[in-house]
Amino acid sequence: MLNLITCFNLEKSVFMATRKDGCDTCKRLLDVASQVFAERGYKATTIAHICKIAKANVAAVNYHFGSKDGLYGQVWQQAFDKSMEAYPLDGGLPEEAPAEEKLEALIRSHLHRVLGRGAQGEAGQILLMEMTDPTEAIQDVFVEKLRPVVQRTHGIIRELLGIGATEMQIHFCAMSVVHQCLALSHRRSKHVKHPFLLEVSDMDVFIEQLAVHITAFSLAGIAGIREKIAKQAKE
């Protein structure tokens, strides 16, 4: 009986050790792949390169994720969820907060996502690459994850424009706001030189200043559209 118990405990220990090794490998692959995909993009990244940095066997990718596409999809979801946790769209504001404050919180969230460093910035960089050079690998996940972002943005713009705004006007204003946040994102590349790019010594301070500016600029533009809507309603 003692031998049977000993064998059972030994098998259990081996199973637990194997399982832990598998979890560690899976996490290591995700962390490394997130960095590499954010830096190189989907097409320029190879599984061999990821596995070399992660010190993992190439077969581990197929085992844990099924394929390169599966790994990429998991990377995007993890990176996006981390960034949303670190920089929520509402900025911690209550839903009854003024629309102007909610817009600034939304803008600040976007800026941290596309300009931030480290793991929290990887989602934004992958997002930008998908916008400029989309892949079929994560389109369904991509749309699903971004849908709440679009809905919140449109909701805030709708509140600022008033009930007379058309869906097209709301969409145009939302697009204008978001693309201001994306405009400086390419400054993250070491190879990009552009006269409108700034040398930034403190990214957090820069993001805060930029959030305030884009908010003020956007609110002025939205106010102009709102006045136009009110004028047309009287005609």
Side-chain angles (χ1 to χ4, degrees):
M1 178 64 70
L2 181 62
N3 288 337
L4 288 175
I5 293 174
T6 301
C7 289
F8 173 77
N9 287 335
L10 180 60
E11 289 178 359
K12 182 178 179 182
S13 297
V14 171
F15 171 76
M16 293 301 292
T18 302
R19 185 175 181 182
K20 183 179 183 302
D21 288 344
C23 291
D24 289 344
T25 300
C26 181
K27 183 180 183 304
R28 200 162 62 248
L29 283 169
L30 277 172
D31 290 343
V32 170
S34 186
Q35 297 172 22
V36 177
F37 280 131
E39 181 181 340
R40 294 187 169 196
Y42 174 82
K43 294 178 182 176
T45 297
T46 65
I47 292 302
H49 181 67
I50 291 172
C51 290
K52 181 179 179 181
I53 299 174
K55 294 180 173 56
N57 192 294
V58 173
V61 171
N62 290 332
Y63 177 78
H64 290 289
F65 307 102
S67 64
K68 178 182 176 181
D69 286 3
L71 174 60
Y72 189 51
Q74 286 294 313
V75 161
W76 161 246
Q77 290 191 65
Q78 175 179 275
F80 186 82
D81 290 343
K82 280 184 178 179
S83 72
M84 291 298 284
E85 182 179 352
Y87 310 115
L89 296 175
D90 61 12
L93 293 173
E95 194 54 41
E96 62 270 17
E100 292 82 1
E101 293 182 16
K102 289 191 285 188
L103 180 67
E104 184 171 335
L106 180 80
I107 288 169
R108 187 176 290 107
S109 173
H110 283 314
L111 289 174
H112 274 292
R113 211 173 337 277
V114 298
L115 294 176
R117 306 293 181 181
Q120 281 75 31
E122 288 165 3
Q125 197 62 19
I126 294 173
L127 166 65
L128 291 164
M129 290 182 179
E130 281 295 317
M131 291 177 69
T132 56
D133 188 14
T135 65
E136 295 182 3
I138 63 167
Q139 281 306 299
D140 291 341
V141 178
F142 189 69
V143 171
E144 178 186 346
K145 288 289 184 182
L146 289 182
R147 186 176 290 113
V149 179
V150 174
Q151 290 174 342
R152 180 165 184 83
T153 306
H154 281 202
I156 294 172
I157 299 299
R158 184 178 288 107
E159 190 175 348
L160 288 167
L161 285 178
I163 58 174
T166 66
E167 289 302 311
M168 186 65 74
Q169 288 169 323
I170 292 168
H171 183 75
F172 282 169
C173 286
M175 187 171 58
S176 298
V177 170
V178 171
H179 278 77
Q180 287 181 83
C181 300
L182 301 179
L184 291 177
S185 59
H186 294 292
R187 73 169 305 280
R188 294 179 59 175
S189 171
K190 298 177 181 178
H191 309 293
V192 174
K193 296 187 181 298
H194 193 284
F196 280 107
L197 299 185
L198 303 172
E199 290 299 324
V200 178
S201 58
D202 190 323
M203 182 56 72
D204 288 336
V205 172
F206 176 72
I207 287 175
E208 183 58 33
Q209 292 173 337
L210 189 57
V212 172
H213 167 76
I214 292 177
T215 301
F217 196 86
S218 299
L219 287 174
I222 291 170
I225 301 296
R226 185 175 62 242
E227 290 176 8
K228 180 180 178 181
I229 292 171
K231 183 178 178 181
Q232 290 175 337
K234 293 178 181 179
E235 293 176 352

